[in-house]
Amino acid sequence: MKRELAILILLLLALLASGCVSGMQGSPYANATPGKKLYDLGNASQWAYAVNMSANETSSEWNMTVHNYAGSPRHMVIHTSGNGMDIIYDVWWNQTTYRVERMHANGSIGDYYQDHDVSPLQIQTLPDTGLNYYFVPFQPIRTVTARGPDGSMANLTVYAATDNQGFTVAYWIHPAVPVPAKILMSTRDFNITMMLTDYKQGPPLPPI
């Protein structure tokens, strides 16, 4: 069963990358906010999400941890684990253009093992890392109140953008947190929800 779910994940995320990312449309309104304003990648050294995907009455869960390194080009180490996956991706990206220049994958999904460079476009098959939608304009749509781990209440602004194929990306943002508290990617056929479980604020880690 894990192998079948892993294959489903790959197929759906590949569909997401090929059919939706390139067609993303931003809001024409003056108060639209570019995606680069919703992440503060210069002020986060590490963060982690619990990821849930549901499609066709099937659901799967896994974890994604990102280590953010300084250097030129910048370097992310992204570990996806759970539900038959255990892969570490090294991602080198241009700090000015946010273009992924190189990717390397090491690990397994189901029965498939890889340890080699992969296409930089494969970044679009991962849950959001802060690079995929960096230049997309997002529209603030509402404010929600959430309770933090210490019991205090905080207001978060929800930003969203929808492409011409009905694919929507939404972010829950708190100004004191350098990465989104929640991310939702959805179409009529499937949903991917990412909940922030941990982060370390501060400058990127020393280059490796």
Side-chain angles (χ1 to χ4, degrees):
M1 184 62 176
K2 285 186 176 181
R3 183 173 183 273
E4 286 76 5
L5 285 174
I7 293 172
L8 176 63
I9 291 166
L10 282 180
L11 290 173
L12 288 174
L13 290 178
L15 173 65
L16 169 65
S18 64
C20 297
V21 174
S22 61
M24 184 69 70
Q25 302 294 318
S27 168
Y29 301 136
N31 61 338
T33 300
K36 64 182 180 180
K37 298 287 188 180
L38 306 181
Y39 278 84
D40 187 2
L41 296 181
N43 190 33
S45 60
Q46 178 182 323
W47 58 93
Y49 284 98
V51 183
N52 176 276
M53 188 186 76
S54 58
N56 299 326
E57 300 182 354
T58 301
S59 63
S60 58
E61 298 180 355
W62 69 94
N63 299 306
M64 181 179 79
T65 302
V66 180
H67 295 85
N68 187 29
Y69 293 90
S72 182
R74 289 280 290 274
H75 184 191
M76 284 184 180
V77 176
I78 303 164
H79 186 196
T80 59
S81 61
N83 196 54
M85 292 185 295
D86 190 359
I87 303 178
I88 294 176
Y89 296 92
D90 286 278
V91 176
W92 292 266
W93 56 283
N94 185 298
Q95 192 173 354
T96 301
T97 65
Y98 286 81
R99 179 183 177 87
V100 176
E101 298 184 349
R102 179 187 165 207
M103 281 187 67
H104 185 92
N106 183 339
S108 60
I109 178 168
D111 296 330
Y112 176 66
Y113 178 79
Q114 55 184 331
D115 183 4
H116 53 77
D117 283 351
V118 295
S119 167
L121 294 176
Q122 196 163 324
I123 188 68
Q124 296 173 351
T125 69
L126 294 176
D128 191 55
T129 61
L131 302 177
N132 290 352
Y133 313 110
Y134 207 76
F135 295 108
V136 172
F138 286 83
Q139 181 72 22
I141 58 173
R142 66 180 183 275
T143 299
V144 298
T145 302
R147 187 182 301 276
D150 61 356
S152 62
M153 305 300 290
N155 291 327
L156 292 85
T157 302
V158 182
Y159 294 84
T162 301
D163 76 359
N164 54 15
Q165 298 183 34
F167 170 62
T168 295
V169 179
Y171 295 106
W172 280 248
I173 302 297
H174 188 281
V177 180
V179 295
K182 177 181 176 181
I183 303 170
L184 176 66
M185 294 173 280
S186 62
T187 71
R188 181 173 56 188
D189 300 318
F190 71 94
N191 292 285
I192 298 175
T193 302
M194 302 171 58
M195 300 296 297
L196 185 67
T197 58
D198 188 29
Y199 71 94
K200 292 183 179 178
Q201 205 152 356
L205 300 165
I208 57 173

